[in-house]
């Protein structure tokens, strides 16, 4: 009877320890109640709520509030079964390997979805969790009743909840590290992770799936934000070349390759040139913002091609020192980036960098954009800044076509690239030889709130917004009149 119903792998006499596929244990799964969402009911009053928590791969691990998670259930197309598993500790029916976003990995499925490669994310929050390269016997294998994996995409993307020693159910629960939502169980290195498909969304490497009738675009089901917040951590741990001297290393490398490819499908980077004084310090500050993919320092706004630092300092070429910023708008929106730019320098006429009229001086306030949409964002931000400060601004805005010399970006010499970051790294190594191999401390990522406290300066009388009003008041005794926009 058991074999006829697909349960031939069960222990009929139940004399052996629980296996990952014991139907009696699966029926008791609802005894576990996941503790999802933040514990603190009023996160705005918790100073830790403004801190950045990123994973080893650069993903956001800051725990959302319970209200945010419940809201996500309503707004992120979370179906009833997924809600039961994620929020209430339920379990999928055996062999029904249907993801929350509609991908069927059951062995009975005739779809070639069984053969596609891709990344599994938590259905709430979209944190990447597993890839098909870590799947035991393939996600559509009939040997298991649920999706099973050997390893997560990163150890700190999941949490293991061990049962009480006196609990009848001794299975180890697996929860999403960001939201705390329930995913499934862990049964050790041999049987791996047994995960409910409904708790996951699947993003294929290629945004199409093949059906019996041909190729069908499945893009509408795969639009999930898988952007890291720290691209520095991403580049150090996802893009790096892993050794291929073992099967495990090859699998890990393949999993990270899949994650990289999926992320690049979902992310559409934007670019802008920003001038706010010395490009050494401007670049260092901007690189500490979440969502910054890459930066380069250089020169723009002048009248001579291929300027050198010596040429620019002579004040004959008319160039400004600028930072080319490539950013992920999913994490750091264009308006927020511009507000941060205005926060870190004084854009007013009275204190214009370079002590020159608008459009002159190598340290002048300037923004060079590549399209009308970005120009509109900058112009609107400048208008709001001017209204808030009650002063005229000296900030220059131009559209760069990449060809015209006056708006072209000329890359600065190598010695200027990431100058402050390299200097901080050298100082850290000299101060602590034991930690010389740890480069992360040379450029620590900040949350937007932390960044505002670190780099924004303004009078307390005009400081504060819905996002910053609960932070500790600033000591502005040394305020030199520099303005800080609200983030």
């Amino acid at each position: 009877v058991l074999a006829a119903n697909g349960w031939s792998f069960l222990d009929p006499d139940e004399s052996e320890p629980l296996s990952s596929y014991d139907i009696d244990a699966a029926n008791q799964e609802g005894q576990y109640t996941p503790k999802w969402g933040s514990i603190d009911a009023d996160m705005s009053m918790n100073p830790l709520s403004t801190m950045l928590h990123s994973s080893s791969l650069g993903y956001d691990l800051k725990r959302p509030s319970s209200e945010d998670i419940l809201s996500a259930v309503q707004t992120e197309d979370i179906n009833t079964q997924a809600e039961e598993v994620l929020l209430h500790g339920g379990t999928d029916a055996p062999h029904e390997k249907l993801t929350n976003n509609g991908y069927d990995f059951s062995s009975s499925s005739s779809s070639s979805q069984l053969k596609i490669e891709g990344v599994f994310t938590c259905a709430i929050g979209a944190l990447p969790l597993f890839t098909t390269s870590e799947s035991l016997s393939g996600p559509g294998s009939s040997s298991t009743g649920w999706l099973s994996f050997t390893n997560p995409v990163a150890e700190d993307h999941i949490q293991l909840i061990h049962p009480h020693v006196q609990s009848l159910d001794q299975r180890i629960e697996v929860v999403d590290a960001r939201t705390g939502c329930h995913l499934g169980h862990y049964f050790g290195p041999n049987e791996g992770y047994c995960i409910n498909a409904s708790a996951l969304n699947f993003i294929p490497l290629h945004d199409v799936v093949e059906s019996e009738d041909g190729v069908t675009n499945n893009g509408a089901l795969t639009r999930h934000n898988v952007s890291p917040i720290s691209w520095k951590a991403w580049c150090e741990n996802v893009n790096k070349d892993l050794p291929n001297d073992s099967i495990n290393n090859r699998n890990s490398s393949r999993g990270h390759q899949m994650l990289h490819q999926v992320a690049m499908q979902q992310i559409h980077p934007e670019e802008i040139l920003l001038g706010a004084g010395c490009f050494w310090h401007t670049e260092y500050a901007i690189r500490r913002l979440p969502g910054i993919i890459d930066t380069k320092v250089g020169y723009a706004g002048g009248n001579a091609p291929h300027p050198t630092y010596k040429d620019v300092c002579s004040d004959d070429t008319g160039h400004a020192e600028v930072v080319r910023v490539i950013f992920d708008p999913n994490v750091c929106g264009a308006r927020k980036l511009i507000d941060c730019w205005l926060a870190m320098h004084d854009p007013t006429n009275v204190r214009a960098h370079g002590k020159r009229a608008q459009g002159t001086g190598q340290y002048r306030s300037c923004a060079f954009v590549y399209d009308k949409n970005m120009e509109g964002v900058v112009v609107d931000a400048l208008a709001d800044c001017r209204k808030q400060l009650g002063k005229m601004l000296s900030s220059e805005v131009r559209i760069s076509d990449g060809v015209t010399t006056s708006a072209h970006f000329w890359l600065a010499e190598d010695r200027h690239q990431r100058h402050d970051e390299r200097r901080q790294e050298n100082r850290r190594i000299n101060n602590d030889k034991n930690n010389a191999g740890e480069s992360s401390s040379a450029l620590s990522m900040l949350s937007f709130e932390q960044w505002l406290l670190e780099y924004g300066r303004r009078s307390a009388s005009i400081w504060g917004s819905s996002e910053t009003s609960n932070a500790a008041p600033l000591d502005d005794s040394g305020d030199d009149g520099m303005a800080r926009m609200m983030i």
Side-chain angles (χ1 to χ4, degrees):
V1 174
L2 290 173
N5 287 277
W7 293 100
S8 57
F9 50 82
L10 294 183
D11 307 322
D13 59 0
E14 299 185 356
S15 60
E16 298 180 15
L18 289 175
S19 74
S20 52
Y21 313 114
D22 192 308
I23 186 60
D24 293 330
N27 287 337
Q28 296 176 14
E29 184 170 3
Q31 294 180 357
Y32 172 74
T33 302
K35 299 176 177 62
W36 42 268
S38 60
I39 298 175
D40 193 338
D42 188 356
M43 291 295 288
S44 63
M45 299 302 292
N46 182 1
L48 296 179
S49 67
T50 64
M51 296 181 65
L52 191 71
H53 302 279
S54 63
S55 73
S56 58
L57 302 185
Y59 282 89
D60 186 9
L61 294 184
K62 180 180 176 181
R63 182 64 60 88
S65 68
S66 301
E67 290 75 13
D68 289 339
I69 291 179
L70 290 174
S71 176
V73 172
Q74 304 300 320
T75 60
E76 296 183 7
D77 296 324
I78 305 300
N79 62 48
T80 302
Q81 178 59 26
E83 181 179 354
E84 174 64 23
V85 171
L86 290 163
L87 303 190
H88 306 295
T91 185
D92 291 343
H95 298 288
E96 291 189 9
K97 303 178 183 181
L98 183 66
T99 67
N100 174 69
N101 64 332
Y103 282 87
D104 188 359
F105 290 96
S106 63
S107 58
S108 61
S109 174
S110 60
S111 170
S112 60
Q113 290 177 5
L114 295 176
K115 302 176 183 178
I116 62 177
E117 295 182 309
V119 175
F120 295 92
T121 70
C122 184
I124 298 179
L127 182 67
L129 300 173
F130 303 96
T131 72
T132 50
S133 69
E134 287 97 16
S135 177
L136 281 168
S137 303
S141 172
S142 60
S143 63
T144 65
W146 295 267
L147 294 179
S148 55
F149 304 93
T150 54
N151 295 294
V153 71
E155 294 293 337
D156 54 358
H157 281 208
I158 56 97
Q159 290 181 349
L160 301 180
I161 309 298
H162 293 263
H164 190 275
V165 291
Q166 296 181 345
S167 174
L168 292 177
D169 186 354
Q170 285 295 301
R171 294 172 302 168
I172 300 173
E173 306 288 340
V174 181
V175 301
D176 175 58
R178 181 166 184 256
T179 63
C181 290
H182 178 248
L183 301 171
H185 298 92
Y186 177 64
F187 294 95
N190 292 328
E191 294 182 274
Y193 298 83
C194 180
I195 305 298
N196 295 287
S198 66
L200 307 175
N201 283 330
F202 181 72
I203 308 177
L205 256 62
H206 304 287
D207 206 17
V208 294
V209 294
E210 294 181 3
S211 66
E212 294 179 347
D213 299 326
V215 177
T216 303
N217 191 324
N218 209 36
L221 298 178
T222 61
R223 293 293 179 239
H224 304 285
N225 180 16
V226 291
S227 300
I229 57 175
S230 173
W231 283 88
K232 183 175 187 293
W234 169 275
C235 291
E236 289 175 348
N237 295 291
V238 176
N239 288 354
K240 70 178 182 180
D241 293 326
L242 296 178
N244 289 324
D245 55 355
S246 71
I247 295 297
N248 287 336
N249 281 333
R250 283 197 292 272
N251 287 342
S252 296
S253 177
R254 180 56 182 158
H256 284 177
Q257 290 173 10
M258 290 183 183
L259 181 57
H260 178 273
Q261 186 169 340
V262 164
M264 292 302 103
Q265 289 175 358
Q266 307 291 320
I267 295 169
H268 302 284
E270 296 185 17
E271 182 177 343
I272 191 171
L273 308 180
L274 297 173
C278 174
F279 52 21
W280 291 351
H281 316 317
T282 303
E283 180 186 38
Y284 183 74
I286 289 176
R287 282 179 57 77
R288 300 188 74 184
L289 284 168
I292 302 302
I293 298 176
D294 192 29
T295 59
K296 297 290 183 183
V297 299
Y299 318 107
N303 52 32
H306 307 289
T308 65
Y309 185 68
K310 183 178 181 180
D311 295 334
V312 173
C313 291
S314 70
D315 204 26
D316 292 331
T317 68
H319 287 93
E321 294 187 11
V322 298
V323 181
R324 182 177 68 186
V325 184
I326 300 176
F327 62 99
D328 178 5
N330 292 326
V331 178
C332 182
R335 176 56 190 262
K336 183 165 284 190
L337 176 62
I338 299 306
D339 281 350
C340 289
W341 167 65
L342 290 170
M344 66 184 302
H345 76 293
D346 178 17
T348 67
N349 276 331
V350 177
R351 297 182 57 82
H353 286 290
K355 306 296 184 183
R356 302 290 193 275
Q358 184 178 24
T360 63
Q362 76 183 81
Y363 296 138
R364 64 185 182 268
S365 174
C366 55
F368 297 88
V369 301
Y370 293 93
D371 57 63
K372 286 290 185 179
N373 290 335
M374 185 68 76
E375 181 186 35
V377 172
V378 177
V379 170
D380 288 346
L382 290 173
D384 290 343
C385 181
R386 182 170 59 249
K387 181 179 178 181
Q388 182 192 62
L389 298 177
K391 298 180 180 180
M392 294 299 295
L393 306 184
S394 66
S395 302
E396 170 192 8
V397 183
R398 296 192 201 177
I399 291 186
S400 173
D401 58 11
V403 178
T404 306
T405 299
S406 63
H408 189 78
F409 174 75
W410 304 99
L411 189 67
E413 296 83 348
D414 288 345
R415 69 179 184 275
H416 297 299
Q417 305 299 329
R418 302 186 184 178
H419 175 277
D420 283 7
E421 184 178 343
R422 290 184 287 106
R423 184 176 179 181
Q424 291 282 351
E425 174 68 6
N426 291 335
R427 181 182 301 169
R428 184 191 61 76
I429 292 175
N430 291 332
N431 290 340
D432 191 354
K433 294 292 185 180
N434 293 329
N435 293 329
E438 300 178 7
S439 60
S440 59
S441 60
L443 184 73
S444 58
M445 192 68 57
L446 300 176
S447 68
F448 289 105
E449 295 85 356
Q450 289 174 308
W451 192 95
L452 183 66
L453 293 173
E454 179 76 16
Y455 294 103
R457 300 181 63 190
R458 70 189 292 176
S459 170
S461 63
I462 59 171
W463 177 69
S465 70
S466 60
E467 295 186 46
T468 62
S469 58
N470 290 319
L474 294 180
D475 176 9
D476 63 347
S477 59
D479 193 342
D480 63 356
M482 296 183 74
R484 178 174 60 192
M485 284 291 291
M486 294 178 293
I487 295 181

